Amino acid sequence: MKFEEIQAKMRQNESLFDQYVLPGNYIVVRLDGKGFTKLTKEKMDFEKPFDIRFHEAMVATTKHLLTVGFKVLYAYTQSDEISLLIDKNDATFNRKVRKINSILAGEASAFISLHFNQPAVLDCRTIAMPNVDMLLDYFCWRQEDAHRNSLSSYCYWTLRNQGHTFSEATKKVEKLSMSAKNELLFSYGINYNTLPSWQKRGVGLSFEDIQKTGINKMNNEPIEFSRKEVKLHQELPIREAYRFFLRGLLEG
């Protein structure tokens, strides 16, 4: 068989299961740490349940993903998770799902591995969002998930620090309602409402236009120009206010 014939056959096999995000759909990509429990508890010995060093690494990784070729409108990160909202008109890699997943997972994994000088892997999934309401539902869902996991983690590690075993702490936390979890923490002197917002709700990132002043090299006169810079939203609103905030970013 000739080379050209083999190549055509192999290319056909490669593309057999290709999927594409249809035009007109927003693209949401979620990345999650794979085996990060071992990384954070054994190899790096981070503070529990949250460590500012790990949080800053995830924010830095998210910022990096804003620079790798996709038109990202908004990014959100909490714990070991990153969500990216890609413009519905972005045609990078012809909107091919396997390319989106592989490129972003590779970029994120490489960046955070270099950051920690330890192997670290994030997986990636691509989700098509046909309308804005679904987008708002998605990001509200991820924020509420962050809140629930954060509250449970604080309860778990508070009990562990009080001498409870893994099994005892897990079973006790599983049985508690949200209000009961707050009461448990308060009984140990922890007011969950006063904890840093990034630990409870995560943080958002978006681009904003910043006016700058420079010097025209042709005549040495000052000139005004606009530059897009990443803005870190450290105090995100919640519930309906969060939806309103996200709508403003999309319409801006």
Side-chain angles (χ1 to χ4, degrees), residues 27-216:
I27 300 172
V28 171
V29 177
R30 186 164 78 250
L31 300 102
D32 287 286
K34 178 182 179 294
F36 269 29
T37 299
K38 185 175 182 179
L39 171 71
T40 57
K41 292 181 181 177
E42 298 178 16
K43 294 184 178 180
M44 303 299 297
D45 192 28
F46 286 130
E47 294 180 13
K48 308 171 186 65
F50 294 97
D51 191 300
I52 187 64
R53 294 168 296 173
F54 181 76
H55 169 65
E56 289 175 346
M58 290 301 296
V59 170
T61 303
T62 306
K63 286 183 177 179
H64 173 69
L65 295 179
L66 302 181
T67 69
V68 298
F70 297 91
K71 186 179 180 182
V72 179
L73 303 178
Y74 178 67
Y76 171 75
T77 182
Q78 57 97 359
S79 186
D80 64 345
E81 173 185 307
I82 299 169
S83 291
L84 305 175
L85 169 58
I86 300 175
D87 187 272
K88 64 182 179 181
N89 296 317
D90 190 314
T92 306
F93 300 115
N94 295 318
R95 304 166 71 87
K96 188 180 295 184
V97 172
R98 69 177 170 90
K99 293 291 287 187
I100 297 171
N101 287 343
S102 59
I103 293 296
L104 290 174
E107 289 280 358
S109 300
F111 184 91
I112 202 166
S113 294
L114 290 172
H115 184 95
F116 288 136
N117 197 29
Q118 291 280 352
V121 176
L122 291 95
D123 64 27
C124 183
R125 73 210 68 182
T126 294
I127 311 157
M129 292 287 180
N131 57 61
V132 172
D133 285 336
M134 284 190 68
L135 285 178
L136 304 183
D137 287 343
Y138 172 86
F139 282 101
C140 286
W141 167 50
R142 298 321 303 149
Q143 189 190 61
E144 181 59 23
D145 183 73
H147 167 58
R148 290 170 182 262
N149 288 337
S150 166
L151 182 58
S152 294
S153 293
Y154 256 102
C155 290
Y156 172 82
W157 284 109
T158 297
L159 292 173
R160 289 299 306 274
N161 291 335
Q162 295 298 317
H164 290 263
T165 65
F166 164 82
S167 179
E168 291 170 343
T170 300
K171 288 180 180 179
K172 186 165 185 176
V173 173
E174 285 178 348
K175 295 177 181 178
L176 298 177
S177 64
M178 298 284 283
S179 59
K181 290 175 183 177
N182 276 282
E183 291 173 7
L184 183 149
L185 292 178
F186 198 73
S187 71
Y188 288 105
I190 301 172
N191 185 344
Y192 183 77
N193 291 327
T194 64
L195 294 174
S197 181
W198 65 266
Q199 297 183 6
K200 298 181 293 183
R201 304 285 181 180
V203 298
L205 298 91
S206 64
F207 287 103
E208 65 175 353
D209 291 322
I210 302 295
Q211 292 300 122
K212 299 278 188 177
T213 301
I215 299 296
N216 188 331

